[in-house]
Amino acid sequence: MEPQEQTPKQAKARGSDINYGIDDNPPWYFCIMMALQHYLTMIGAIVSIPFILTPALCMRDEDPARGTIISTMIFVTGLITYVQATWGCRLPIVQGGTISFLVPTLAILNLPQWKCPPADQLDAMSDSERTELWQVRMRELSGAIAVAAVSQIVLGFSGLVGKLLRIITPLTIVPTVALVGITLFRHASETASKQWGIAVGTTAMLTLFSQVMCNVQFPGLAYRKGVGLRVTWFPLFKLFPVLLTIAIMWTVCGVLTATGVFPEGHPARTDVRLRVLQDAEWFRVPYPGQFGLPTVSLAGVLGMLAGVIACTVESISYYPTIAQMCAAPPPPLHAINRGIGIEGLGTMLAGMWGSGNGTNTFGENVGAIGVTKVGSRRVIQWAALIMILQGVLNKFGAAFIMIPDPVVGGIFCVMFGMITAFGLAALQYVDLRSARNLYILGVSFFFPLVLCLWLQEHPGAIRTGNETVDSTLSVLLGTTILVGGVLGCALDNLIPGTPEERGLVAWSQEMALDTVLPVDEGLPGADGPFRKNTFDFPYGMDLLRSWKWTRHVPFLPTYKMKL
């Protein structure tokens, strides 16, 4: 059965009231504004990781190297995001640092050989000794992340990830994605609670702009060659709700800072991170091995594998959801294979560059697509270029790092909630009247939360006599999305149920499990005419189609072998 072109009605059903679909190219000025909005959406999460990581590396708060790590992470995020959106899965997703890697990272740094020396010993060290102290730990993390990422690269480019799609069912997707948002509520709470008035105001304003005023038309000027300037009307609040909300609430915080309402050192002040801006370099190009040659240990690699597994399942869960949100066809098998492979490559580069983290699909930006209804691939490509530019011009990024925490917390309250809702949306495929499905759903949600909370409160509970095994099990069992996804997958595949009851019939159509050679009318080929496909490479498709062997390569758009 050959893939069919989407009718306007089908596209509308897949992307309800979408403003710009995946292949749409908005005007360049809209692209820049919406790209900046995506940048602001991810910058809070990106920055939060180094601020948690650097103390564990034994780095001082005033060390300017913290800004270097932040810029490195954003630079790699932009690089991999562009490759992923252009040549990878070709979905409008942002690839960046993830909390899934932060958990095993902290577990590794808690091992006896990597724990920070006592405070008095740290104070007695010279600057060069302090630098070597954190860099030797960064080299250990870099090697562990890079080697662990090889498994994800092999999983994707070999096509093995496609085999997993037969067992990754809706009842696997629901707990995996939904638990991301539920697990992150602590981070949203910590940032929002620093000033609840600002946080609640941010959430209320974002709700007002994106849901209540979304259809309000706003006048603007547009230029067209041969016509000149003319007044045009566009849905301002629907297109830029996040950007407008951040700008307004940031201004409010600035006024309250200038008038002295917020005392010195208050987290809602706009000058609380002024030193980050002052210490940031104007121009610096990050490069692989900038903190020294990475080192590799078995404990580190095994620990980081937990992050790789969690990120792989999470990204597979996001792909069909994002495709539906931006009115794209179901992602074919070759796009999923390629997406996971590119994500693994991104994680390897992130490790080699010395970011201290890996890469994964950013849930916050998935939520931003749901709020703005802008799913254009071109917007994400512009966002990637902004990130690359910021990674080189450190002062530029440091300015956005100064966004007050309560404003970020208010945005998180909406975005993390959207992620949870998108995860629950996969329930539309299963029969919720089935006691079997309700049982699986309840256990796969509740048990991971109970287990992971207990492990957090009892960090030394697992004692097998082998420190490597202990740290690996602690990381694996302490990751809610991994435990929930594996539990949901195992129960759904072991407990008897009909394909209709389990949602497999509708899900197989959503995931496009049976892939064939795409066709495009007017372009001759060996098996007849071809049709342009959303997930084709931007260049070189005619050459690929002229080679028959490319149909057997699982990550090429011409792949047509069945699972």
Side-chain angles (χ1 to χ4, degrees):
M1 180 179 177
E2 294 183 350
Q4 301 296 317
E5 287 283 359
Q6 287 186 298
T7 65
K9 183 176 180 180
Q10 290 172 327
K12 183 71 173 178
R14 290 187 58 80
S16 180
D17 68 345
I18 191 78
N19 292 315
Y20 291 100
I22 188 170
D23 292 315
D24 293 337
N25 294 326
W28 65 268
Y29 44 87
F30 269 178
C31 281
I32 293 177
M33 295 296 290
M34 288 183 287
L36 183 60
Q37 183 169 249
H38 272 285
Y39 175 83
L40 292 176
T41 300
M42 54 73 67
I43 189 65
I46 281 284
V47 171
S48 65
I49 295 173
F51 272 80
I52 297 173
L53 172 64
T54 51
L57 289 173
C58 314
M59 183 185 293
R60 291 174 295 188
D61 292 341
E62 63 273 15
D63 195 326
R66 173 179 289 186
T68 301
I69 294 176
I70 293 173
S71 294
T72 298
M73 186 173 291
I74 297 176
F75 179 85
V76 177
T77 293
L79 185 65
I80 300 304
T81 295
Y82 187 85
V83 174
Q84 185 73 280
T86 307
W87 297 95
C89 67
R90 288 184 56 78
L91 289 169
I93 61 176
V94 174
Q95 297 274 171
T98 171
I99 295 176
S100 297
F101 277 97
L102 192 58
V103 176
T105 294
L106 295 178
I108 292 171
L109 295 177
N110 278 329
L111 295 175
Q113 65 268 33
W114 300 120
K115 284 187 176 181
C116 295
D120 56 346
Q121 187 175 341
L122 287 173
D123 294 336
M125 289 184 176
S126 64
D127 289 342
S128 59
E129 290 174 334
R130 289 293 298 264
T131 299
E132 177 61 20
L133 184 68
W134 71 260
Q135 286 191 355
V136 69
R137 286 159 174 75
M138 178 62 82
R139 292 195 289 268
E140 175 70 12
L141 296 180
S142 297
I145 292 170
V147 174
V150 174
S151 62
Q152 195 173 23
I153 295 175
V154 172
L155 193 66
F157 289 127
S158 67
L160 291 176
V161 70
K163 308 298 182 182
L164 298 177
L165 295 180
R166 291 298 187 188
I167 62 174
I168 298 179
T169 62
L171 286 175
T172 304
I173 303 299
V174 171
T176 302
V177 178
L179 281 172
V180 173
I182 294 175
T183 303
L184 292 175
F185 86 92
R186 289 181 181 272
H187 301 277
S189 176
E190 289 173 1
T191 52
S193 62
K194 294 179 179 180
Q195 219 298 322
W196 276 111
I198 297 296
V200 172
T202 301
T203 301
M205 187 167 293
L206 182 54
T207 302
L208 177 68
F209 289 163
S210 65
Q211 304 300 317
V212 180
M213 301 178 64
C214 57
N215 293 321
V216 176
Q217 299 292 311
F218 199 84
L221 294 177
Y223 176 80
R224 180 176 295 178
K225 188 176 181 180
V227 179
L229 289 175
R230 62 187 180 89
V231 177
T232 182
W233 294 82
F234 64 99
L236 174 68
F237 302 106
K238 191 174 186 178
L239 292 173
F240 309 110
V242 177
L243 188 59
L244 289 172
T245 299
I246 291 177
I248 293 173
M249 295 309 298
W250 198 350
T251 302
V252 170
C253 288
V255 173
L256 296 178
T257 299
T259 55
V261 175
F262 293 145
E264 289 291 334
H266 194 283
R269 288 180 64 94
T270 53
D271 59 358
V272 71
R273 295 195 184 103
L274 187 60
R275 185 160 185 174
V276 176
L277 180 63
Q278 295 172 340
D279 292 342
E281 299 180 75
W282 279 105
F283 182 84
R284 185 180 187 279
V285 180
Y287 58 91
Q290 58 184 331
F291 303 129
L293 187 65
T295 59
V296 179
S297 67
L298 180 61
V301 173
L302 291 178
M304 288 302 177
L305 278 175
V308 169
I309 294 172
C311 290
T312 301
V313 175
E314 186 179 347
S315 290
I316 292 175
S317 306
Y318 277 134
Y319 289 168
T321 302
I322 298 170
Q324 185 175 26
M325 288 167 55
C326 59
L333 185 58
H334 65 78
I336 296 173
N337 291 336
R338 199 164 56 249
I340 296 300
I342 292 294
E343 183 172 313
L345 179 62
T347 295
M348 175 181 284
L349 293 180
M352 298 298 294
W353 245 276
S355 69
N357 205 264
T359 60
N360 189 27
T361 302
F362 251 121
E364 293 88 343
N365 293 84
V366 176
I369 294 176
V371 171
T372 63
K373 306 299 181 184
V374 176
S376 171
R377 184 188 298 115
R378 182 62 57 84
V379 170
I380 298 299
Q381 291 170 334
W382 274 92
L385 295 178
I386 291 176
M387 296 172 203
I388 294 174
L389 178 65
Q390 186 279 311
V392 175
L393 303 175
N394 292 6
K395 291 285 189 183
F396 178 78
F400 290 105
I401 292 171
M402 295 175 64
I403 299 175
D405 284 344
V407 176
V408 177
I411 297 294
F412 281 174
C413 288
V414 175
M415 295 305 174
F416 294 162
M418 291 289 289
I419 296 170
T420 302
F422 287 135
L424 295 175
L427 291 174
Q428 64 183 296
Y429 303 105
V430 305
D431 184 2
L432 290 178
R433 296 168 298 181
S434 167
R436 168 198 180 275
N437 292 343
L438 293 177
Y439 179 86
I440 296 173
L441 185 63
V443 172
S444 60
F445 260 103
F446 194 77
F447 182 78
L449 293 174
V450 172
L451 176 62
C452 296
L453 178 62
W454 184 80
L455 286 175
Q456 290 174 7
E457 296 177 349
H458 302 82
I462 299 178
R463 298 178 182 176
T464 63
N466 186 300
E467 291 185 359
T468 301
V469 175
D470 292 347
S471 61
T472 302
L473 290 178
S474 296
V475 171
L476 291 173
L477 298 178
T479 307
T480 54
I481 57 176
L482 180 62
V483 176
V486 170
L487 192 58
C489 180
L491 293 177
D492 191 35
N493 284 279
L494 293 176
I495 299 176
T498 65
E500 291 79 9
E501 181 183 20
R502 299 172 60 194
L504 299 184
V505 176
W507 183 244
S508 63
Q509 299 174 356
E510 193 68 36
M511 291 297 292
L513 295 182
D514 296 319
T515 58
V516 297
L517 187 65
V519 296
D520 191 322
E521 294 181 0
L523 298 176
D527 295 336
F530 299 110
R531 178 181 48 207
K532 186 177 181 180
N533 189 281
T534 296
F535 300 98
D536 283 350
F537 287 153
Y539 310 104
M541 288 306 303
D542 290 348
L543 185 61
L544 287 178
R545 286 166 177 153
S546 67
W547 295 332
K548 291 186 177 181
W549 61 267
T550 62
R551 304 173 195 177
H552 305 287
V553 181
F555 59 87
L556 293 180
T558 49
Y559 180 61
K560 71 170 185 176
M561 293 182 63
K562 297 181 182 296
L563 294 175

PDB file of all heavy atoms in Angstrom, residues 47-74:
ATOM      1  N   VAL A  47      19.886  26.496  30.747  1.00  0.00           N
ATOM      2  CA  VAL A  47      20.703  27.155  31.757  1.00  0.00           C
ATOM      3  C   VAL A  47      20.598  26.454  33.103  1.00  0.00           C
ATOM      4  O   VAL A  47      21.552  26.399  33.879  1.00  0.00           O
ATOM      5  CB  VAL A  47      20.299  28.638  31.878  1.00  0.00           C
ATOM      6  CG1 VAL A  47      20.975  29.292  33.072  1.00  0.00           C
ATOM      7  CG2 VAL A  47      20.671  29.384  30.613  1.00  0.00           C
ATOM      8  N   SER A  48      19.432  25.900  33.394  1.00  0.00           N
ATOM      9  CA  SER A  48      19.236  25.269  34.700  1.00  0.00           C
ATOM     10  C   SER A  48      20.153  24.056  34.883  1.00  0.00           C
ATOM     11  O   SER A  48      20.556  23.738  36.006  1.00  0.00           O
ATOM     12  CB  SER A  48      17.775  24.832  34.863  1.00  0.00           C
ATOM     13  OG  SER A  48      17.437  23.815  33.934  1.00  0.00           O
ATOM     14  N   ILE A  49      20.496  23.376  33.786  1.00  0.00           N
ATOM     15  CA  ILE A  49      21.337  22.177  33.891  1.00  0.00           C
ATOM     16  C   ILE A  49      22.754  22.517  34.356  1.00  0.00           C
ATOM     17  O   ILE A  49      23.244  21.932  35.322  1.00  0.00           O
ATOM     18  CB  ILE A  49      21.340  21.413  32.553  1.00  0.00           C
ATOM     19  CG1 ILE A  49      19.938  20.871  32.254  1.00  0.00           C
ATOM     20  CG2 ILE A  49      22.350  20.264  32.589  1.00  0.00           C
ATOM     21  CD1 ILE A  49      19.793  20.246  30.885  1.00  0.00           C
ATOM     22  N   PRO A  50      23.453  23.472  33.717  1.00  0.00           N
ATOM     23  CA  PRO A  50      24.786  23.819  34.227  1.00  0.00           C
ATOM     24  C   PRO A  50      24.768  24.375  35.652  1.00  0.00           C
ATOM     25  O   PRO A  50      25.728  24.176  36.403  1.00  0.00           O
ATOM     26  CB  PRO A  50      25.276  24.877  33.222  1.00  0.00           C
ATOM     27  CG  PRO A  50      24.524  24.590  31.976  1.00  0.00           C
ATOM     28  CD  PRO A  50      23.175  24.137  32.436  1.00  0.00           C
ATOM     29  N   PHE A  51      23.700  25.076  36.022  1.00  0.00           N
ATOM     30  CA  PHE A  51      23.648  25.629  37.370  1.00  0.00           C
ATOM     31  C   PHE A  51      23.496  24.523  38.415  1.00  0.00           C
ATOM     32  O   PHE A  51      23.827  24.712  39.583  1.00  0.00           O
ATOM     33  CB  PHE A  51      22.506  26.638  37.479  1.00  0.00           C
ATOM     34  CG  PHE A  51      22.903  28.031  37.096  1.00  0.00           C
ATOM     35  CD1 PHE A  51      22.973  28.408  35.762  1.00  0.00           C
ATOM     36  CD2 PHE A  51      23.241  28.962  38.058  1.00  0.00           C
ATOM     37  CE1 PHE A  51      23.350  29.686  35.396  1.00  0.00           C
ATOM     38  CE2 PHE A  51      23.626  30.251  37.702  1.00  0.00           C
ATOM     39  CZ  PHE A  51      23.682  30.618  36.371  1.00  0.00           C
ATOM     40  N   ILE A  52      22.972  23.364  38.012  1.00  0.00           N
ATOM     41  CA  ILE A  52      22.914  22.206  38.907  1.00  0.00           C
ATOM     42  C   ILE A  52      24.196  21.392  38.792  1.00  0.00           C
ATOM     43  O   ILE A  52      24.687  20.834  39.778  1.00  0.00           O
ATOM     44  CB  ILE A  52      21.694  21.328  38.553  1.00  0.00           C
ATOM     45  CG1 ILE A  52      20.395  22.110  38.768  1.00  0.00           C
ATOM     46  CG2 ILE A  52      21.667  20.058  39.404  1.00  0.00           C
ATOM     47  CD1 ILE A  52      19.157  21.375  38.281  1.00  0.00           C
ATOM     48  N   LEU A  53      24.757  21.348  37.580  1.00  0.00           N
ATOM     49  CA  LEU A  53      25.928  20.510  37.314  1.00  0.00           C
ATOM     50  C   LEU A  53      27.212  21.072  37.915  1.00  0.00           C
ATOM     51  O   LEU A  53      28.005  20.337  38.512  1.00  0.00           O
ATOM     52  CB  LEU A  53      26.091  20.336  35.803  1.00  0.00           C
ATOM     53  CG  LEU A  53      27.369  19.636  35.314  1.00  0.00           C
ATOM     54  CD1 LEU A  53      27.404  18.194  35.807  1.00  0.00           C
ATOM     55  CD2 LEU A  53      27.448  19.697  33.789  1.00  0.00           C
ATOM     56  N   THR A  54      27.441  22.379  37.752  1.00  0.00           N
ATOM     57  CA  THR A  54      28.738  22.947  38.128  1.00  0.00           C
ATOM     58  C   THR A  54      29.076  22.815  39.609  1.00  0.00           C
ATOM     59  O   THR A  54      30.252  22.584  39.937  1.00  0.00           O
ATOM     60  CB  THR A  54      28.833  24.416  37.681  1.00  0.00           C
ATOM     61  OG1 THR A  54      27.668  25.137  38.139  1.00  0.00           O
ATOM     62  CG2 THR A  54      28.903  24.498  36.161  1.00  0.00           C
ATOM     63  N   PRO A  55      28.132  22.951  40.549  1.00  0.00           N
ATOM     64  CA  PRO A  55      28.509  22.710  41.948  1.00  0.00           C
ATOM     65  C   PRO A  55      28.975  21.273  42.183  1.00  0.00           C
ATOM     66  O   PRO A  55      29.884  21.039  42.989  1.00  0.00           O
ATOM     67  CB  PRO A  55      27.214  23.005  42.720  1.00  0.00           C
ATOM     68  CG  PRO A  55      26.447  23.925  41.837  1.00  0.00           C
ATOM     69  CD  PRO A  55      26.755  23.471  40.457  1.00  0.00           C
ATOM     70  N   ALA A  56      28.367  20.312  41.467  1.00  0.00           N
ATOM     71  CA  ALA A  56      28.784  18.917  41.603  1.00  0.00           C
ATOM     72  C   ALA A  56      30.159  18.687  40.997  1.00  0.00           C
ATOM     73  O   ALA A  56      30.852  17.730  41.348  1.00  0.00           O
ATOM     74  CB  ALA A  56      27.759  17.989  40.950  1.00  0.00           C
ATOM     75  N   LEU A  57      30.572  19.574  40.085  1.00  0.00           N
ATOM     76  CA  LEU A  57      31.913  19.498  39.503  1.00  0.00           C
ATOM     77  C   LEU A  57      32.957  20.161  40.388  1.00  0.00           C
ATOM     78  O   LEU A  57      34.133  20.211  40.014  1.00  0.00           O
ATOM     79  CB  LEU A  57      31.923  20.162  38.124  1.00  0.00           C
ATOM     80  CG  LEU A  57      31.196  19.462  36.978  1.00  0.00           C
ATOM     81  CD1 LEU A  57      31.163  20.355  35.748  1.00  0.00           C
ATOM     82  CD2 LEU A  57      31.828  18.123  36.651  1.00  0.00           C
ATOM     83  N   CYS A  58      32.521  20.685  41.541  1.00  0.00           N
ATOM     84  CA  CYS A  58      33.410  21.397  42.475  1.00  0.00           C
ATOM     85  C   CYS A  58      33.837  22.752  41.903  1.00  0.00           C
ATOM     86  O   CYS A  58      34.934  23.240  42.190  1.00  0.00           O
ATOM     87  CB  CYS A  58      34.641  20.572  42.834  1.00  0.00           C
ATOM     88  SG  CYS A  58      34.286  18.852  43.248  1.00  0.00           S
ATOM     89  N   MET A  59      33.004  23.371  41.101  1.00  0.00           N
ATOM     90  CA  MET A  59      33.298  24.667  40.500  1.00  0.00           C
ATOM     91  C   MET A  59      32.705  25.778  41.369  1.00  0.00           C
ATOM     92  O   MET A  59      31.598  25.664  41.872  1.00  0.00           O
ATOM     93  CB  MET A  59      32.712  24.739  39.081  1.00  0.00           C
ATOM     94  CG  MET A  59      33.034  26.047  38.356  1.00  0.00           C
ATOM     95  SD  MET A  59      32.204  26.150  36.745  1.00  0.00           S
ATOM     96  CE  MET A  59      33.043  24.848  35.859  1.00  0.00           C
ATOM     97  N   ARG A  60      33.438  26.855  41.508  1.00  0.00           N
ATOM     98  CA  ARG A  60      32.955  27.999  42.270  1.00  0.00           C
ATOM     99  C   ARG A  60      31.863  28.734  41.499  1.00  0.00           C
ATOM    100  O   ARG A  60      31.860  28.763  40.277  1.00  0.00           O
ATOM    101  CB  ARG A  60      34.111  28.962  42.560  1.00  0.00           C
ATOM    102  CG  ARG A  60      35.136  28.428  43.547  1.00  0.00           C
ATOM    103  CD  ARG A  60      36.317  29.354  43.668  1.00  0.00           C
ATOM    104  NE  ARG A  60      37.071  29.432  42.419  1.00  0.00           N
ATOM    105  CZ  ARG A  60      38.249  30.049  42.294  1.00  0.00           C
ATOM    106  NH1 ARG A  60      38.783  30.649  43.343  1.00  0.00           N
ATOM    107  NH2 ARG A  60      38.878  30.067  41.134  1.00  0.00           N
ATOM    108  N   ASP A  61      30.943  29.358  42.256  1.00  0.00           N
ATOM    109  CA  ASP A  61      29.837  30.071  41.629  1.00  0.00           C
ATOM    110  C   ASP A  61      30.321  31.230  40.762  1.00  0.00           C
ATOM    111  O   ASP A  61      29.709  31.555  39.747  1.00  0.00           O
ATOM    112  CB  ASP A  61      28.880  30.613  42.700  1.00  0.00           C
ATOM    113  CG  ASP A  61      28.139  29.494  43.423  1.00  0.00           C
ATOM    114  OD1 ASP A  61      28.082  28.381  42.874  1.00  0.00           O
ATOM    115  OD2 ASP A  61      27.617  29.740  44.531  1.00  0.00           O
ATOM    116  N   GLU A  62      31.419  31.863  41.155  1.00  0.00           N
ATOM    117  CA  GLU A  62      31.909  33.020  40.412  1.00  0.00           C
ATOM    118  C   GLU A  62      32.876  32.640  39.296  1.00  0.00           C
ATOM    119  O   GLU A  62      33.436  33.513  38.635  1.00  0.00           O
ATOM    120  CB  GLU A  62      32.583  34.005  41.362  1.00  0.00           C
ATOM    121  CG  GLU A  62      33.822  33.467  42.057  1.00  0.00           C
ATOM    122  CD  GLU A  62      33.518  32.716  43.339  1.00  0.00           C
ATOM    123  OE1 GLU A  62      32.337  32.371  43.547  1.00  0.00           O
ATOM    124  OE2 GLU A  62      34.451  32.474  44.123  1.00  0.00           O
ATOM    125  N   ASP A  63      33.085  31.352  39.085  1.00  0.00           N
ATOM    126  CA  ASP A  63      33.996  30.904  38.033  1.00  0.00           C
ATOM    127  C   ASP A  63      33.409  31.234  36.660  1.00  0.00           C
ATOM    128  O   ASP A  63      32.299  30.787  36.325  1.00  0.00           O
ATOM    129  CB  ASP A  63      34.224  29.390  38.150  1.00  0.00           C
ATOM    130  CG  ASP A  63      35.425  28.916  37.334  1.00  0.00           C
ATOM    131  OD1 ASP A  63      35.665  29.495  36.255  1.00  0.00           O
ATOM    132  OD2 ASP A  63      36.103  27.970  37.773  1.00  0.00           O
ATOM    133  N   PRO A  64      34.106  32.028  35.832  1.00  0.00           N
ATOM    134  CA  PRO A  64      33.583  32.371  34.498  1.00  0.00           C
ATOM    135  C   PRO A  64      33.427  31.166  33.581  1.00  0.00           C
ATOM    136  O   PRO A  64      32.753  31.249  32.555  1.00  0.00           O
ATOM    137  CB  PRO A  64      34.625  33.358  33.957  1.00  0.00           C
ATOM    138  CG  PRO A  64      35.865  33.082  34.742  1.00  0.00           C
ATOM    139  CD  PRO A  64      35.413  32.656  36.093  1.00  0.00           C
ATOM    140  N   ALA A  65      34.031  30.022  33.951  1.00  0.00           N
ATOM    141  CA  ALA A  65      33.895  28.816  33.130  1.00  0.00           C
ATOM    142  C   ALA A  65      32.451  28.316  33.104  1.00  0.00           C
ATOM    143  O   ALA A  65      32.074  27.567  32.205  1.00  0.00           O
ATOM    144  CB  ALA A  65      34.808  27.715  33.653  1.00  0.00           C
ATOM    145  N   ARG A  66      31.646  28.723  34.091  1.00  0.00           N
ATOM    146  CA  ARG A  66      30.232  28.348  34.072  1.00  0.00           C
ATOM    147  C   ARG A  66      29.557  28.893  32.822  1.00  0.00           C
ATOM    148  O   ARG A  66      28.769  28.203  32.176  1.00  0.00           O
ATOM    149  CB  ARG A  66      29.529  28.876  35.329  1.00  0.00           C
ATOM    150  CG  ARG A  66      28.034  28.673  35.318  1.00  0.00           C
ATOM    151  CD  ARG A  66      27.374  29.184  36.585  1.00  0.00           C
ATOM    152  NE  ARG A  66      27.675  28.335  37.729  1.00  0.00           N
ATOM    153  CZ  ARG A  66      27.115  28.498  38.934  1.00  0.00           C
ATOM    154  NH1 ARG A  66      26.258  29.471  39.136  1.00  0.00           N
ATOM    155  NH2 ARG A  66      27.422  27.687  39.916  1.00  0.00           N
ATOM    156  N   GLY A  67      29.881  30.133  32.469  1.00  0.00           N
ATOM    157  CA  GLY A  67      29.344  30.707  31.236  1.00  0.00           C
ATOM    158  C   GLY A  67      29.839  29.974  30.002  1.00  0.00           C
ATOM    159  O   GLY A  67      29.112  29.836  29.018  1.00  0.00           O
ATOM    160  N   THR A  68      31.067  29.479  30.045  1.00  0.00           N
ATOM    161  CA  THR A  68      31.628  28.716  28.918  1.00  0.00           C
ATOM    162  C   THR A  68      30.846  27.423  28.717  1.00  0.00           C
ATOM    163  O   THR A  68      30.545  27.039  27.573  1.00  0.00           O
ATOM    164  CB  THR A  68      33.112  28.396  29.168  1.00  0.00           C
ATOM    165  OG1 THR A  68      33.839  29.614  29.344  1.00  0.00           O
ATOM    166  CG2 THR A  68      33.698  27.617  28.008  1.00  0.00           C
ATOM    167  N   ILE A  69      30.512  26.745  29.811  1.00  0.00           N
ATOM    168  CA  ILE A  69      29.740  25.502  29.716  1.00  0.00           C
ATOM    169  C   ILE A  69      28.347  25.778  29.173  1.00  0.00           C
ATOM    170  O   ILE A  69      27.821  25.029  28.336  1.00  0.00           O
ATOM    171  CB  ILE A  69      29.673  24.814  31.090  1.00  0.00           C
ATOM    172  CG1 ILE A  69      31.067  24.351  31.524  1.00  0.00           C
ATOM    173  CG2 ILE A  69      28.710  23.626  31.052  1.00  0.00           C
ATOM    174  CD1 ILE A  69      31.111  23.749  32.903  1.00  0.00           C
ATOM    175  N   ILE A  70      27.734  26.877  29.629  1.00  0.00           N
ATOM    176  CA  ILE A  70      26.403  27.242  29.138  1.00  0.00           C
ATOM    177  C   ILE A  70      26.445  27.511  27.638  1.00  0.00           C
ATOM    178  O   ILE A  70      25.612  27.015  26.870  1.00  0.00           O
ATOM    179  CB  ILE A  70      25.870  28.472  29.896  1.00  0.00           C
ATOM    180  CG1 ILE A  70      25.604  28.121  31.365  1.00  0.00           C
ATOM    181  CG2 ILE A  70      24.596  29.001  29.244  1.00  0.00           C
ATOM    182  CD1 ILE A  70      25.232  29.317  32.220  1.00  0.00           C
ATOM    183  N   SER A  71      27.418  28.295  27.195  1.00  0.00           N
ATOM    184  CA  SER A  71      27.536  28.610  25.767  1.00  0.00           C
ATOM    185  C   SER A  71      27.825  27.360  24.946  1.00  0.00           C
ATOM    186  O   SER A  71      27.304  27.210  23.830  1.00  0.00           O
ATOM    187  CB  SER A  71      28.641  29.646  25.550  1.00  0.00           C
ATOM    188  OG  SER A  71      28.293  30.880  26.136  1.00  0.00           O
ATOM    189  N   THR A  72      28.638  26.468  25.482  1.00  0.00           N
ATOM    190  CA  THR A  72      28.944  25.222  24.776  1.00  0.00           C
ATOM    191  C   THR A  72      27.686  24.393  24.589  1.00  0.00           C
ATOM    192  O   THR A  72      27.432  23.855  23.500  1.00  0.00           O
ATOM    193  CB  THR A  72      29.988  24.406  25.560  1.00  0.00           C
ATOM    194  OG1 THR A  72      31.205  25.156  25.653  1.00  0.00           O
ATOM    195  CG2 THR A  72      30.269  23.081  24.875  1.00  0.00           C
ATOM    196  N   MET A  73      26.881  24.281  25.628  1.00  0.00           N
ATOM    197  CA  MET A  73      25.657  23.494  25.544  1.00  0.00           C
ATOM    198  C   MET A  73      24.682  24.082  24.526  1.00  0.00           C
ATOM    199  O   MET A  73      24.079  23.361  23.730  1.00  0.00           O
ATOM    200  CB  MET A  73      25.000  23.410  26.923  1.00  0.00           C
ATOM    201  CG  MET A  73      23.784  22.503  26.984  1.00  0.00           C
ATOM    202  SD  MET A  73      23.164  22.288  28.667  1.00  0.00           S
ATOM    203  CE  MET A  73      24.508  21.330  29.379  1.00  0.00           C
ATOM    204  N   ILE A  74      24.555  25.408  24.525  1.00  0.00           N
ATOM    205  CA  ILE A  74      23.643  26.054  23.579  1.00  0.00           C
ATOM    206  C   ILE A  74      24.172  25.945  22.156  1.00  0.00           C
ATOM    207  O   ILE A  74      23.405  25.759  21.199  1.00  0.00           O
ATOM    208  CB  ILE A  74      23.420  27.523  23.979  1.00  0.00           C
ATOM    209  CG1 ILE A  74      22.738  27.595  25.346  1.00  0.00           C
ATOM    210  CG2 ILE A  74      22.574  28.251  22.941  1.00  0.00           C
ATOM    211  CD1 ILE A  74      22.562  29.000  25.877  1.00  0.00           C
TER     212      ILE A  74
END
